[in-house]
Amino acid sequence: MKKLENKVVVVTGAAMGNGFGIAKVMGKYGAKLVLTDIAPLDDAVNELKKLGYEAMGIHMDVSNSYEVKNGIEKVIEKYGRIDTLVNNAGIIRLGSLLETSDEIRDFHFNVNINGVWNVTKAVMPYMQKERYGRIVNLSSVTGFMVVDKGECAYATTKAAIMGFTRAVAREAAEYNITCNAILPGYILTPMAEQIANESNPSNPDSVIDGIASAVPLGRLGTIEEVGEVAAFLGSDESSYITGTPIVIDGGSTLPETVSVGV
Ligand code: NAD
């Protein structure tokens, strides 16, 4: 039996990037996929169906608790339960502390923190009822371990996800629900391309090359590599892991200096 056979999985922000990669890998392992996003989902859902996976799309803005509640109710109407939730939807806008307006700060907080809060809160009663659940949150090495200039708002939110992950893990343990976080380094997604464009609009490729050259494995990660970690944390195989940050960064957080070494 495949490791996610018959598991009902909800992935937020699944129209592209990591969310799509996570859905694709989980489909490979037999999951029934519910993709949610504010962006159109038809292309992503059709691509997964072409691969032979069971998939549906639901428009759901994670920062809107009303839309979230409705979206999760639709999943329950169809499947009766949710086994695994992947809180993947997230945004970034580069800007220093002094450049970042209250609106841009709140945009980060609303999507990246409140979004994870809203969806987890909407799903939790159904997981508690089943006395089973796997919650996987997309944090980042950014904020929790490292940071680049211009990431004040983003780093704050991604570090907050780790606090939320641990708090939920502690509370939900008695219901046989686990909650863990994935901390990616740079993964080649539309978000990474956006960061490259914002950092150097006239030569974004040089930013991507610069990132790759600072990673010991010499490249950015792929959405499928993130998907494999999410599939493991979202499956029965990770049953004794909870409240834990799992780093997937090609070794990017290893170097202590750029000058020492033989
Ligand atoms: P992306 O921008 O490529 O895709 C994000 C998806 O989330 C998009 O489909 C977008 O429409 C959706 N989304 C945005 N706001 C939403 C909202 N309010 N409600 C629902 N969906 C919404 O980003 P990505 O690189 O795939 O990042 C996905 C997650 O991985 C994020 O949480 C991000 O912080 C995290 N992450 C990414 C990287 C990286 O290098 N790409 C590194 C570390 C962590």
Side-chain angles (χ1 to χ4, degrees):
M1 194 164 102
K2 295 179 192 167
K3 70 175 153 194
L4 292 170
E5 199 82 59
N6 290 323
K7 299 285 190 202
V8 180
V9 173
V10 174
V11 184
T12 69
M16 63 190 87
N18 286 330
F20 180 69
I22 290 166
K24 193 168 137 194
V25 173
M26 289 186 150
K28 179 181 80 174
Y29 291 122
K32 297 174 190 300
L33 303 166
V34 182
L35 283 69
T36 73
D37 209 302
I38 48 169
L41 281 157
D42 286 353
D43 288 354
V45 169
N46 288 336
E47 195 174 329
L48 296 171
K49 282 185 175 166
K50 268 192 211 144
L51 291 167
Y53 309 153
E54 185 172 331
M56 68 184 280
I58 296 177
H59 178 97
M60 192 172 95
D61 178 347
V62 294
S63 66
N64 179 331
S65 54
Y66 179 76
E67 264 186 37
V68 168
K69 205 167 166 288
N70 281 343
I72 295 305
E73 274 168 14
K74 281 186 195 148
V75 186
I76 297 300
E77 269 166 35
K78 184 166 167 73
Y79 289 115
R81 63 176 208 283
I82 293 167
D83 299 299
T84 300
L85 165 65
V86 184
N87 281 310
N88 165 80
I91 57 97
I92 184 170
R93 299 288 181 272
L94 294 185
S96 70
L97 175 64
L98 295 182
E99 284 162 356
T100 300
S101 65
D102 292 357
E103 287 73 25
I104 293 290
R105 176 202 61 198
D106 291 345
F107 179 44
H108 283 84
F109 291 9
N110 282 333
V111 178
N112 295 1
I113 301 177
N114 296 350
V116 176
W117 177 289
N118 290 339
V119 187
T120 306
K121 194 170 174 185
V123 168
M124 185 62 80
Y126 301 107
M127 288 187 168
Q128 286 187 353
K129 193 165 150 243
E130 297 293 324
R131 298 195 80 81
Y132 181 89
R134 298 274 179 271
I135 299 166
V136 183
N137 298 328
L138 270 286
S139 173
S140 175
V141 294
T142 304
F144 190 68
M145 300 173 73
V146 292
V147 75
D148 282 325
K149 286 199 289 185
E151 294 182 335
C152 243
Y154 180 77
T156 303
T157 63
K158 289 288 140 178
I161 296 305
M162 222 25 257
F164 181 73
T165 299
R166 289 196 168 114
V168 169
R170 182 66 189 88
E171 278 185 17
E174 65 191 273
Y175 295 95
N176 188 33
I177 298 166
T178 64
C179 182
N180 293 289
I182 301 178
L183 278 59
Y186 277 100
I187 312 298
L188 196 52
T189 66
M191 180 187 277
E193 285 162 2
Q194 176 207 324
I195 292 170
N197 269 315
E198 285 181 35
S199 301
N200 188 346
S202 59
N203 191 0
D205 287 349
S206 70
V207 179
I208 299 287
D209 291 345
I211 294 169
S213 68
V215 178
L217 285 180
R219 61 179 175 84
L220 280 71
T222 69
I223 57 173
E224 289 81 7
E225 287 169 324
V226 174
E228 291 291 344
V229 179
F232 170 65
L233 291 175
S235 75
D236 293 343
E237 290 173 8
S238 62
S239 48
Y240 204 55
I241 302 175
T242 197
T244 294
I246 307 281
V247 173
I248 168 167
D249 71 347
S252 70
T253 52
L254 289 174
E256 193 173 346
T257 71
V258 290
S259 54
V260 176
V262 289

